[in-house]
Amino acid sequence: MRYVDEFRDGDLAKGLAVAIRSEVRQDRDYRFMEFCGGHTHAISRYGVSDLLPHNVRMIHGPGCPVCVLPIGRIDMAIRLILERDVILCSYGDPMRVPASNGLSLLRAKARRSGQGGGDVRMVYSSADALRLAQQTPDRQVVFFAIGFETTTPSTAVVIKQARNLGLRNFSVFCCHVLTPPAIAAILGAPEAPVSLDGLIGPAHVSTIIGTRPYEFAAEQFHKPVVVAGFEPLDVMLAILMLIRQANAGCAAVENEFSRAVSQDGNRKAQALIADVFERRDTFAWRGLGELPDSALRIRPEFAEFDAESRFSIVYEAVPDHPACECAAVLRGAKRPSECRIFGTACTPGTPVGSCMVSSEGACAAHYSFGRYKDTVGA
Amino acid sequence: MCLALPCKVVELRSGDLALIDMAGMVKEISLALVDQVAVGDYVIVHVGYALTRLDPEEAEKTLSLFAALSEADSFGCLSSNFIVK
Ligand code: SF4
């Protein structure tokens, strides 16, 4: 595939690995966080860590939208189908995240089938949910909108379309979260779980928001940020760029993913987001806790499309499973293999925590591509 | 769910829609988030929406940077997921 295969070229990867080796200083360590699950996935799948010198360590960050959603939010989605009798449309990954009472969206769906009533449909796109609402005018359809800035604009599009169409049976359960506040939470944590020498910034989030919103990390926290694409060579070049900045003692925002990301980002998408959403005062994240100004809600002008108010559901905090270390994994404080149920009670087939669900989750990525090496080496 | 691929636009349709070629599969996606896309352009597609247009010149620059950096010789164990020519 054009623009994909070239960025997975094995010979170039070898060359980049040698280039990294030749620039790494022996008298220090390098700890870089890849914020995004997309990078975590690429690093695991291509064994990028194996190509790095021992003193360069990659730490997984919280940038997996399915992983950071707390149990209480999944519980709200389940209440929508079991108690409010709506058709809930969800992206695939959130369906398997464990929630309260041994339920998940998938299990709640199985429980209801045969009894009639509410159900859950997996959708690929927000547009699929809108279409379903048009096709089933006698049923309330709710789109379970999750994700960082990458998925937010497409949710905005369907809310505007629903208003233009005058749809009375469509609403959105908005759980969209923002990347820069999560980065700020990691960098500004009072007792920093890890001291970082730099960050790999998101690929697709940055196509929307641009590189400017990361400047605070360089300016306030003196951490280099390199925005990078999700292919393995992109990640390797970003690591080299971070090593160079670390060696030079500088902290700047650089852009490795210039084929898709600009400084200003996608202004049209930003305008759509601003039209439809506003910041919530606070939002609960799995792992990071309550963060101010870190998530979006639907503006009052579009209140009729806001499932939270239409169906009066409220968030209640629920603790994670007692053995689950997802919170520490999401902060970069623990590796997946340091969770005592990793690979035993918790596997991609039977996830206990959210980080084992999506292929971008740190635990799922480790399990699928690196678990044996990791356990032997631990 | 964040994985997204660059895909070639093969046909423009009404209502901000387009057909793209996704690894040999033709799929309808929305162009509501991007302006001035033409047939033959590559766009990055995520959950059914083009997020941005791919800039071929910048892609070339990055590729030549890889090539310039990797004028080195051999290196051990490489994951079999890499593409080897
Ligand atoms: S192994 Fe499972 S329970 Fe443990 S941290 Fe990972 S996802 Fe959470």
Side-chain angles (χ1 to χ4, degrees):
Chain A
M1 256 187 302
R2 183 116 189 259
Y3 298 121
V4 174
D5 292 355
E6 307 95 296
F7 294 87
R8 296 178 183 175
D9 183 285
D11 288 332
L12 291 178
K14 289 180 193 173
L16 278 171
V18 175
I20 288 173
R21 249 158 229 279
S22 69
E23 296 201 27
V24 156
R25 280 184 10 206
Q26 291 314 312
D27 59 344
R28 58 163 297 170
D29 287 331
Y30 301 83
R31 272 161 306 190
F32 302 126
M33 175 177 277
E34 85 277 5
F35 180 82
C36 264
H39 290 129
T40 303
H41 179 87
I43 288 169
S44 302
R45 174 165 176 193
Y46 294 94
V48 170
S49 303
D50 297 348
L51 302 174
L52 298 177
H54 287 297
N55 55 339
V56 179
R57 192 185 143 198
M58 300 307 295
I59 295 159
H60 313 310
C64 157
V66 184
C67 303
V68 294
L69 214 56
I71 290 175
R73 287 264 149 199
I74 309 279
D75 285 351
M76 289 167 83
I78 290 175
R79 247 178 281 146
L80 282 172
I81 54 165
L82 294 184
E83 295 168 18
R84 305 292 192 277
D85 208 27
V86 310
I87 302 179
L88 188 86
C89 295
S90 169
Y91 292 126
D93 283 341
M95 310 250 307
R96 301 193 305 118
V97 176
S100 299
N101 308 317
L103 287 175
S104 61
L105 284 172
L106 260 190
R107 291 214 177 113
K109 174 181 170 151
R111 187 160 112 174
R112 283 304 292 244
S113 65
Q115 297 175 27
D119 62 310
V120 186
R121 312 274 175 97
M122 195 178 102
V123 291
Y124 166 67
S125 164
S126 60
D128 298 342
L130 188 78
R131 201 169 309 118
L132 184 69
Q134 289 176 279
Q135 288 161 356
T136 53
D138 54 331
R139 295 290 307 276
Q140 286 293 326
V141 174
V142 178
F143 175 56
F144 186 16
I146 75 154
F148 288 89
E149 294 87 339
T150 331
T151 48
T152 314
S154 60
T155 305
V157 168
V158 290
I159 290 176
K160 286 191 132 181
Q161 284 174 339
R163 187 167 73 173
N164 291 343
L165 292 163
L167 283 187
R168 315 290 308 173
N169 67 325
F170 177 78
S171 56
V172 167
F173 176 31
C174 175
C175 296
H176 285 301
V177 288
L178 302 168
T179 303
I183 293 179
I186 295 271
L187 296 180
E191 18 16 304
V194 277
S195 80
L196 297 174
D197 299 298
L199 280 153
I200 297 188
H204 296 137
V205 162
S206 307
T207 65
I208 304 297
I209 69 174
T211 59
R212 236 185 267 283
Y214 309 115
E215 281 167 6
F216 77 93
E219 283 158 16
Q220 285 172 39
F221 296 99
H222 202 72
K223 302 291 181 198
V225 178
V226 176
V227 168
F230 279 152
E231 298 301 337
L233 298 191
D234 291 318
V235 179
M236 293 180 77
L237 179 55
I239 292 170
L240 180 62
M241 291 162 83
L242 285 171
I243 288 169
R244 286 179 174 169
Q245 284 204 43
N247 286 348
C250 57
V253 178
E254 291 185 283
N255 183 9
E256 186 279 337
F257 199 30
S258 57
R259 63 189 186 277
V261 170
S262 64
Q263 211 173 18
D264 293 328
N266 180 338
R267 290 246 170 98
K268 188 178 186 188
Q270 290 166 17
L272 278 161
I273 295 175
D275 278 355
V276 175
F277 299 105
E278 61 186 15
R279 288 196 178 209
R280 291 177 190 261
D281 295 337
T282 178
F283 192 81
W285 295 56
R286 198 190 289 247
L288 304 180
E290 289 274 350
L291 296 183
D293 295 319
S294 66
L296 298 174
R297 67 165 171 240
I298 296 168
R299 283 188 183 279
E301 302 92 283
F302 292 92
E304 58 182 311
F305 302 103
D306 185 346
E308 273 175 83
S309 53
R310 181 183 280 202
F311 299 102
S312 335
I313 43 163
V314 283
Y315 174 75
E316 282 164 40
V318 176
D320 285 346
H321 185 286
C324 171
E325 296 281 8
C326 283
V329 169
L330 286 165
R331 286 196 304 270
K334 285 200 173 165
R335 300 178 203 230
S337 55
E338 290 175 80
C339 174
R340 62 189 166 83
I341 57 173
F342 174 83
T344 52
C346 187
T347 66
T350 56
V352 174
S354 58
C355 300
M356 195 57 101
V357 174
S358 154
S359 65
E360 290 120 66
C363 296
H366 266 260
Y367 186 89
S368 307
F369 300 110
R371 106 186 113 120
Y372 300 110
K373 183 180 74 65
D374 217 62
T375 10
V376 173
Chain B
M1 59 171 280
C2 291
L3 302 179
L5 288 175
C7 305
K8 190 175 177 171
V9 175
V10 294
E11 187 185 317
L12 297 177
R13 301 192 146 183
S14 63
D16 270 346
L17 299 173
L19 290 187
I20 49 138
D21 178 344
M22 190 183 261
M25 254 171 32
V26 175
K27 230 175 133 33
E28 191 179 71
I29 59 138
S30 168
L31 298 178
L33 307 179
V34 285
D35 280 324
Q36 295 171 338
V37 170
V39 170
D41 284 350
Y42 278 76
V43 289
I44 295 189
V45 176
H46 182 60
V47 296
Y49 289 78
L51 297 179
T52 188
R53 218 164 354 146
L54 199 124
D55 183 333
E57 274 174 39
E58 289 293 332
E60 283 315 316
K61 275 190 210 162
T62 306
L63 287 171
S64 36
L65 192 55
F66 294 153
L69 284 166
S70 55
E71 283 166 347
D73 24 50
S74 63
F75 187 84
C77 56
L78 198 63
S79 151
S80 57
N81 285 324
F82 276 106
I83 293 179
V84 180
K85 283 183 220 132

